[in-house]
Amino acid sequence: MNSMSAEAMLDNSGNFILRSLADSSILWQSFDHPTDTLLPGMNLRLSHKMHPLQQLVSWKSQHDPSPGDFSYSADPEHLLQSFTWQGSRPHRRSPVWTNHLFRMNYVGRFNSTIYMALHHAGDEVYMCFGMPTGSFVVLARMEVDYSGKVNILIWESNISKWKIMHTQPEHECNTYGYCGPYGYCDNTQIIPGCKCLDGFEPRDDKAWIAGRFSQGCRRKKALRCTHGDGFLTIPGMKVPDKFLYVRSKSFDQCTEECRRNCSCVAYAYSTMSGMDIDGDDTRCLVWTGDFIDMENCTLGGENLYVRTNRLRGNRRKINTLEIVLPAVSILLLLICVGLIWLCGLRDKQNPAFLAKEDLAMFIREGWKMVRKLL
C-alpha cells in the first residue's frame, strides 16, 4: 500500500486544507463542504454539469449543530434568485437579481462595502461573498440560522460580539407568499403589512381584516385582451415568483413580447451589467399566471409592468362617456317635462303661450345643469 505525505493547515480565510507535500495539490478543503456558514472567499456552487450543487444547512437548534430544517441555495430553475427552504417548501425568496453584483454598505467604526456576486469558472457558476480589494478588512460571515433567517454578521471587536448587519426575512410579512396571490408586503410601513396592487381588491374582506391573507387579491375588472391594452408601472418592487425568462431581448422587445401575448399579465426588465454568466446580459421576465410573493422595497426594487384593460388616454374617454350619457339623458328628460308643463299652461291660459323663446330658455337652463354635472 502506497503512503502519501500530506500536511494540514488552517489559513487566514478560515479554510481548513489538507495538502499533498509532493506537489502541493489540495487533497481536501473545508470550503468545499459548507455547513451553515459562508465566509468571504468561499464559493457556493450553484450550477455544475458534473458535481452536486451546494447549499447552506441550518443547525437544528441554537445549541444543536446537527442538520436542521432550513437550507439556503439558488433557484434550481434559474440562476436569478436564491431561496431559503424549510424542508422542500420555500420559506423566503430573495429579490430577482438585477445585476451579478449586489453591494451592501456597512457603517460602523470603519465604513466597509460587502458584496455578493455570481461568477463563472469553467462549467461552474458560483456565488461568492466578500469585500472589494483595497477596502478596510472586517471579519464578516453569512449564515442561515436555526429559525430560517439568513444573516450577514460583522465582528465588532470593541464589544467582542457578532453584530447582525442584514437579515431576511425581517418580518412575517416577508416570508414566501404571505400576502397571497396578487398581494404584496408593504415594507414602507412601520410594521410591514399586506396590500393589493392598484386595480385589485381583497378576495375576502373579512379574512384581510382578520389578518389572514392566503386568499390574496383579485382584479376589480377582468382583463379583455385588446390592441388598446396598456401597462401600469409599479416601481420599487420585489417582482413575483413563477416567471418565464425570455432571453436576448431589448426593453422594447420585452414589452412587445408581453403585449402581443394575451396570456401575459406582466413583465419586468433589467440589463445585467457587469460580467454576464451565459453570454446574455439581458433579463426579460414575463408572467402568465398569478403573482405570488411580492414586496414593496424601501431601498432598491425594480419596475413591474402590470397589464391593464386600456391605456390611460382611452380610460379617460370611457370615463367621460360614462358621465356624458347619463347627463344627456337627464337633459332630454327635463325637456320632455318642460314641454308637458308648458303645454298644460297653454291649454289653461293662452294658446299662444308656448313660444320658441320659452322653449329655448328652458333648454338653456337645462344645459347649464348638465354642464355642472360634467
Side-chain angles (χ1 to χ4, degrees), residues 231-234 251 255 258 265-269 287 291 303-307:
F231 291 93
L232 177 66
T233 303
I234 305 177
F251 176 79
T255 303
C258 189
V265 291
Y267 72 95
Y269 185 85
W287 285 264
F291 300 164
N303 289 339
L304 177 65
Y305 302 94
V306 179
R307 193 180 203 115

Side-chain angles (χ1 to χ4, degrees), residues 1 75 87-88 112 131 135 150 167 186 189 200 213 215 219 221 223 228 230 253 255 280 293 311 326 344:
M1 181 177 179
D75 184 344
S88 59
S112 299
M131 285 151 284
S135 65
V150 175
T167 187
D186 184 2
Q189 301 179 62
F200 292 78
F213 307 108
Q215 293 185 41
R219 286 186 182 272
K221 292 184 179 180
L223 277 178
Q253 289 171 332
T255 303
D280 180 11
D293 192 46
L311 295 171

Side-chain angles (χ1 to χ4, degrees), residues 10 38 73 90 96 112 133 166 195 272 277 291 299 317 349:
L10 180 65
L38 192 67
S73 63
V96 183
S112 299
T133 303
H166 178 80
K195 290 184 179 180
M272 304 283 277
I277 294 298
F291 300 164
L299 293 173
K317 293 177 183 178
Q349 300 176 7

Side-chain angles (χ1 to χ4, degrees), residues 41 67 146 172 174 240 250 257 314 321 327 352:
Y146 65 93
E172 185 180 25
N174 302 135
S250 67
E257 181 78 21
N314 290 339
L321 288 175

